[in-house]
Amino acid sequence: MKKTLCITIMIACCIFALLLPVSSQDLSGSCGNGVNWSYDPQSATLTFTGESGIPRYSYTVTDRPWGSFADLVKIVKIESGITGIGTHAFSGMRSLHTVEMADSVERIDTYAFSGCISLRQIRWSEKLQTIHDYAFSGCESIETVSIPDGVRIIGLRAFAGCSSLKKVNFNKVRTIGGEAFSKCVSLTDIDFGQVRNVQGGAFSGCNGFTIVDNTGNIEVINSAAFYNNTSLRAIRFSPALKEIWEH
């Protein structure tokens, strides 16, 4: 009788444990050296605190400590003290629509937000210096981008395939990387600011604009920079222009 009762109690405890919500321990932790993260299910917000950079991960979502609920996250908050966003840190998080960066963030690494198809609002760090290759590629919901003044180079295919992107202000950027905005088919408004070098294929397949204006200080336009833009009718070149490469 006692044995049967003990077994019954054990089974009941197991069932009760399964019915409990995810523990707070599962919703927070550390990653890398001096970086902590926490997830609030009610607001679907993933928050990072610390005094270092969010580390790099592989493209596999489950490699990240927050991977089990990555598809539920809608807001990422990066608090003051975090210095960088590592490779694949948030790539493929399909529900993520808002990113808020403290001004301590200096770099966004390769593929950091690639494939975040719902991302449309970004609060940029004023101290941001580097946007690496593929950082925001395939972010189909972004409509406007104003690059922070500290950024000088935009990496290869950094915003490629951002199909809803309509407006870009480059401010103090000097170099736009190869295919950085390729296949941004809705892009119609570009302010080149202080750009000097437009690399190969940078705006290839951008069929939204008919005129390229505000070319500012551009000195070099590389191969295929505006290739396959079927609606493009005119480019008003910068007086500073020195080179136009073939194709």
Side-chain angles (χ1 to χ4, degrees):
M1 182 66 178
K2 288 183 178 180
K3 185 177 180 181
T4 302
L5 180 61
C6 289
I7 293 173
T8 302
I9 292 172
M10 289 175 64
I11 293 172
C13 288
C14 290
I15 294 173
F16 181 73
L18 291 172
L19 294 175
L20 286 174
V22 179
S23 70
S24 59
Q25 188 175 11
D26 295 325
L27 299 178
S28 63
S30 60
C31 58
N33 184 21
V35 177
N36 299 307
W37 64 272
S38 61
Y39 177 64
D40 178 6
Q42 290 188 333
S43 62
T45 300
L46 183 61
T47 302
F48 292 82
T49 59
E51 299 294 332
S52 184
I54 299 170
R56 63 182 300 168
Y57 295 95
S58 75
Y59 66 88
T60 305
V61 174
T62 52
D63 284 350
R64 308 162 210 170
W66 46 91
S68 60
F69 46 81
D71 282 344
L72 303 176
V73 175
K74 296 181 179 180
I75 301 170
V76 166
K77 288 186 177 181
I78 301 170
E79 303 287 5
S80 182
I82 301 297
T83 57
I85 302 171
T87 298
H88 284 296
F90 307 109
S91 64
M93 292 173 61
R94 301 173 65 85
S95 299
L96 177 63
H97 61 67
T98 300
V99 173
E100 299 176 8
M101 300 179 207
D103 289 335
S104 56
V105 177
E106 296 178 352
R107 72 176 201 285
I108 300 173
D109 288 346
T110 309
Y111 293 101
F113 294 96
S114 177
C116 293
I117 60 174
S118 299
L119 181 60
R120 57 182 179 272
Q121 295 183 19
I122 304 171
R123 192 280 180 191
W124 299 93
S125 164
E126 292 184 4
K127 293 184 179 179
L128 189 66
Q129 298 176 12
T130 307
I131 300 175
H132 280 285
D133 302 351
Y134 296 89
F136 293 92
S137 61
C139 292
E140 299 174 358
S141 298
I142 295 177
E143 294 187 1
T144 62
V145 171
S146 183
I147 306 297
D149 285 348
V151 177
R152 296 292 181 267
I153 298 175
I154 295 176
L156 174 75
R157 296 186 63 83
F159 292 90
C162 293
S163 55
S164 296
L165 184 62
K166 299 174 182 178
K167 181 177 181 179
V168 180
N169 191 329
F170 288 103
N171 294 312
K172 296 184 179 180
V173 170
R174 297 292 190 273
T175 300
I176 302 171
E179 299 183 35
F181 291 85
S182 64
K183 298 183 180 178
C184 291
V185 295
S186 300
L187 189 58
T188 57
D189 189 348
I190 305 172
D191 187 337
F192 285 97
Q194 298 184 23
V195 171
R196 302 285 192 274
N197 190 324
V198 180
Q199 295 191 349
F203 297 96
S204 60
C206 296
N207 296 320
F209 49 68
T210 57
I211 298 174
V212 175
D213 204 347
N214 299 318
T215 53
N217 302 290
I218 294 175
E219 297 177 354
V220 179
I221 298 176
N222 283 270
S223 300
F226 295 95
Y227 176 73
N228 199 28
N229 293 352
T230 55
S231 299
L232 184 61
R233 296 291 179 265
I235 301 176
R236 293 178 181 145
F237 293 111
S238 161
L241 187 65
K242 298 176 181 178
E243 297 180 56
I244 302 177
W245 289 37
E246 294 181 1
H247 310 294

